[in-house]
Amino acid sequence: MEVGYGLVSYTLAKLFLLSGLSKKDNAQRSKKMEEKALEVYDVIRTIRDPEKPNTLEDLEVVSESCVEVQEIGAEEYLIIIKFTPTVPHCSLATLIGLCLQVKLQRCLPYKHKLEIYISEGTHSTEEDINKQINDKERVAAAMENPNLREIVEQCVIEPDD
C-alpha cells in the first residue's frame, strides 16, 4: 500500500512540476507572439493612405491591437490583421488591403501566412473585400496592372526620415 501511495505522490509531484513548466513555456510563447505582432505593426504603420499624405497609423486605419500573430509551426506564423477604413463606404479599402499584403510579403524575414480583414461592421462591403484581399490570384493579377502597381509602390515606400 505504501508503494502505491509513493507512486501516486511521485506522479502528482511530476505533474505539478510539468504544469509549472508549461505555464512558463506559455508565457514565453505569448511574449514572443506579442513581439512578433509589434514587429508586424512596425512594418504596416508607415504605409501611406492612397488619397491622403497621412499614414495608416495617423488615420487610425491600423493600430497595435489590430495585429495578431500565432505560431503554426517551427518558425512559421499566421499573421491576422483587421484594419478599419476611415468611412463605411471607403472606395479604397481593397487597395489598402493590397498595400498591406505587398508590404508584409516584402518585409517579413520569416515564413508566414497572411490573413487580412476589414474589422467587422466597419465597411458596407467588408465580406466581398475580405475575399478579394485574401485571394492570392487576385492579388497577383492586381499587381500586374502597371497603374495599380505604381499606386501601391507609392503607398508602401518607406518615408524619408
Side-chain angles (χ1 to χ4, degrees):
M1 188 79 146
E2 284 183 31
V3 173
Y5 284 126
L7 187 58
V8 169
S9 178
Y10 174 78
T11 303
L12 285 174
K14 281 289 195 182
L15 191 63
F16 288 133
L17 177 66
L18 290 174
S19 149
L21 290 176
S22 176
K23 286 180 184 176
K24 185 178 178 185
D25 288 347
N26 284 342
Q28 288 174 335
R29 186 174 292 119
S30 179
K31 185 175 179 356
K32 183 178 179 181
M33 294 306 101
E34 288 175 20
E35 289 170 359
K36 291 283 184 196
L38 284 174
E39 186 180 332
V40 170
Y41 177 68
D42 207 37
V43 170
I44 65 173
R45 70 186 189 84
T46 58
I47 295 173
R48 298 218 164 276
D49 182 85
E51 287 184 319
K52 302 176 176 122
N54 307 80
T55 66
L56 297 184
E57 179 184 50
D58 295 339
L59 298 170
E60 297 179 358
V61 172
V62 296
S63 63
E64 287 181 18
S65 64
C66 81
V67 180
E68 179 185 343
V69 178
Q70 300 170 6
E71 194 166 22
I72 55 176
E75 292 302 311
E76 185 176 1
Y77 303 93
L78 169 62
I79 298 165
I80 302 167
I81 297 175
K82 295 180 181 174
F83 71 97
T84 305
T86 53
V87 292
H89 55 276
C90 178
S91 61
L92 298 172
T94 306
L95 184 57
I96 291 169
L98 181 61
C99 291
L100 291 165
Q101 282 273 3
V102 168
K103 185 138 188 201
L104 288 169
Q105 291 295 355
R106 288 181 185 174
C107 295
L108 293 181
Y110 45 82
K111 192 172 180 182
H112 62 276
K113 180 180 184 230
L114 279 176
E115 291 182 8
I116 298 175
Y117 303 103
I118 293 179
S119 298
E120 194 171 326
T122 62
H123 197 279
S124 55
T125 61
E126 70 189 61
E127 194 173 306
D128 293 333
I129 293 173
N130 288 341
K131 284 181 188 174
Q132 286 181 333
I133 58 181
N134 287 294
D135 184 324
K136 289 180 182 179
E137 290 177 7
R138 288 185 184 183
V139 169
M143 289 307 290
E144 288 177 10
N145 178 318
N147 295 328
L148 204 47
R149 185 173 54 243
E150 185 178 334
I151 293 169
V152 169
E153 293 297 340
Q154 290 302 312
C155 292
V156 301
I157 195 166
E158 285 298 316
D160 296 329
D161 290 324

